[in-house]
């Protein structure tokens, strides 16, 4: 029984969609050697495609393709069928279904999804916003934010801000520290735009110890002590109650999962 799989991603664009789906699927298996994902992007001619397919055949690999150009998709599918290679086509069936429903023909333009449109520029602006107003560097940004994340140290405020920015949300975040009063701007925002983030004392202690070690400080610092963490958590809950905001427990949640919950609550 194989404990390692080799998967070739063949795309005439970037190929990141296929890579995300592969990771979701391989996460359901115990693969001792992991999944060896070999991504080949911007494959737009037959010669290059056949070279990759031959290489994949020798590696005994699975093919996952996102080729919007039907000719290349057919070449790849036929090659795999001829050589008994598993081939998963993530594009052709859906494209054919849409063509049938709409009566239109696919443009077969690999770069069409990534044109520099307004959505793209809005995302860049949201990313710049998240960087500018991270850790409440300028509290005035709280008034402009779509979402404001608040919580004590190590509750994933910054990574969540970055992830949500990539979803086109302008996000600011505020660290809650008992010795530091919250900015007045925080009390001027509609409470549905504020999300309180929290974590368990045990998880916070473990994360903070790792953080201290990574920057060369003593792991037994008060920053990671049980008493200090409980003090901060209690303070955080008092602020959450004062603001009347929704609360999300981030323990053991992936960033994507927490982000989805935030978007749901804000909407």
């Amino acid at each position: 029984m194989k404990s390692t799989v080799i998967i070739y991603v063949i795309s005439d664009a970037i190929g990141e969609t296929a890579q995300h789906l592969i990771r979701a699927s391989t996460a359901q298996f115990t693969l001792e050697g992991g999944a060896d994902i070999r991504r080949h992007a911007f494959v737009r001619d037959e010669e290059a495609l056949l070279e990759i397919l031959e290489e994949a055949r020798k590696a005994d690999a699975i093919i996952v393709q996102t080729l919007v150009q039907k000719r290349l998709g057919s070449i790849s599918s036929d090659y795999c069928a001829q050589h008994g290679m598993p081939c998963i086509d993530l594009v052709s069936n859906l494209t054919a279904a849409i063509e049938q429903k709409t009566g239109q023909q696919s443009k077969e333009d690999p770069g069409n999804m990534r044109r520099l449109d307004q959505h793209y520029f809005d995302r860049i602006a949201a990313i710049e916003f998240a960087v500018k107003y991270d850790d409440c560097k300028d509290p005035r940004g709280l008034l402009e934010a779509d979402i404001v994340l608040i919580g004590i140290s190590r509750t994933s405020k910054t990574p969540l801000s970055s992830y949500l920015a990539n979803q086109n949300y302008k996000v600011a975040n505020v660290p809650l520290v008992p010795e530091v009063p919250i900015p007045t701007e925080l009390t001027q925002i509609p409470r549905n735009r504020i999300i309180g983030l929290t974590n368990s004392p045990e998880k916070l202690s473990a994360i903070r110890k790792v953080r201290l070690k990574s920057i060369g400080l003593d792991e037994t610092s008060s920053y990671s002590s049980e008493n200090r963490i409980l003090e901060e958590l209690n303070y955080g809950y008092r602020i959450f109650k004062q603001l009347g905001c929704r609360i999300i427990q981030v323990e053991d949640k992936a960033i994507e999962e927490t982000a989805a919950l935030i978007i749901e609550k804000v909407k």
Side-chain angles (χ1 to χ4, degrees):
M1 184 72 68
K2 277 197 168 188
S3 59
T4 302
V5 291
I6 299 172
I7 302 174
Y8 272 60
V9 174
I10 304 177
S11 176
D12 43 21
I14 295 175
E16 62 181 355
T17 301
Q19 196 157 351
H20 289 319
L21 287 169
I22 290 166
R23 285 179 176 153
S25 296
T26 54
Q28 308 308 313
F29 298 88
T30 303
L31 301 171
E32 187 178 325
D36 182 357
I37 303 171
R38 304 177 186 180
R39 184 164 67 171
H40 294 267
F42 304 108
V43 179
R44 297 184 181 178
D45 67 77
E46 183 176 341
E47 184 180 354
L49 174 60
L50 289 171
E51 284 181 7
I52 295 164
L53 288 168
E54 179 62 18
E55 182 185 312
R57 183 181 67 80
K58 291 176 181 176
D60 191 23
I62 297 170
I63 298 294
V64 178
Q65 62 188 48
T66 54
L67 296 163
V68 300
Q69 297 180 61
K70 294 176 184 175
R71 184 179 65 85
L72 292 180
S74 295
I75 290 169
S76 179
S77 297
D78 291 346
Y79 182 98
C80 291
Q82 182 183 345
H83 292 89
M85 298 166 60
C87 179
I88 295 87
D89 188 329
L90 298 178
V91 171
S92 65
N93 289 341
L94 180 56
T95 300
I98 294 172
E99 286 180 337
Q100 184 179 359
K101 277 288 184 186
T102 64
Q104 299 181 33
Q105 290 296 308
S106 165
K107 296 174 184 176
E108 296 191 36
D109 179 359
N112 198 48
M113 194 176 78
R114 296 192 173 272
R115 296 284 182 253
L116 300 186
D117 56 10
Q118 189 58 47
H119 182 82
Y120 173 85
F121 291 112
D122 287 345
R123 181 160 61 90
I124 297 302
I127 291 169
E128 290 175 346
F129 187 94
V131 172
K132 184 175 181 180
Y133 297 113
D134 183 43
D135 269 347
C136 204
K137 292 180 183 129
D138 182 349
R140 291 173 298 181
L142 301 176
L143 302 174
E144 302 174 39
D146 300 319
I147 300 170
V148 176
L149 305 178
I150 64 174
I152 67 172
S153 176
R154 303 290 111 184
T155 49
S156 302
K157 296 184 299 299
T158 296
L160 279 166
S161 295
S162 299
Y163 184 89
L164 289 163
N166 271 284
Q167 310 299 312
N168 280 38
Y169 290 95
K170 292 192 295 182
V171 186
N173 68 72
V174 180
L176 299 180
V177 182
E179 295 78 14
V180 180
I182 61 171
T184 55
E185 288 83 355
L186 200 52
T187 63
Q188 299 167 12
I189 306 168
R191 64 183 182 180
N192 65 304
R193 282 163 48 193
I194 306 173
I195 299 292
L197 302 174
T198 189
N199 207 334
S200 71
E202 297 77 18
K203 194 74 172 180
L204 282 168
S205 178
I207 294 170
R208 290 186 178 192
K209 283 176 180 175
V210 171
R211 174 61 178 159
L212 288 169
K213 187 177 181 180
S214 71
I215 58 177
L217 296 178
D218 186 357
E219 293 178 45
T220 61
S221 161
S222 63
Y223 175 68
S224 61
S225 73
E226 182 181 351
N227 287 340
R228 176 60 184 182
I229 288 171
L230 289 174
E231 178 189 359
E232 290 184 32
L233 283 171
N234 288 332
Y235 173 73
Y237 277 109
R238 288 200 301 273
I239 297 298
F240 299 158
K241 186 176 181 180
Q242 176 187 332
L243 297 172
C245 66
R246 269 76 60 87
I247 304 168
I248 293 177
Q249 166 64 261
V250 302
E251 184 179 14
D252 298 328
K253 286 187 179 69
I255 291 294
E256 296 86 349
E257 184 182 356
T258 306
L261 289 171
I262 290 170
I263 293 168
E264 181 184 333
K265 287 181 182 295
V266 169
K267 282 185 175 180

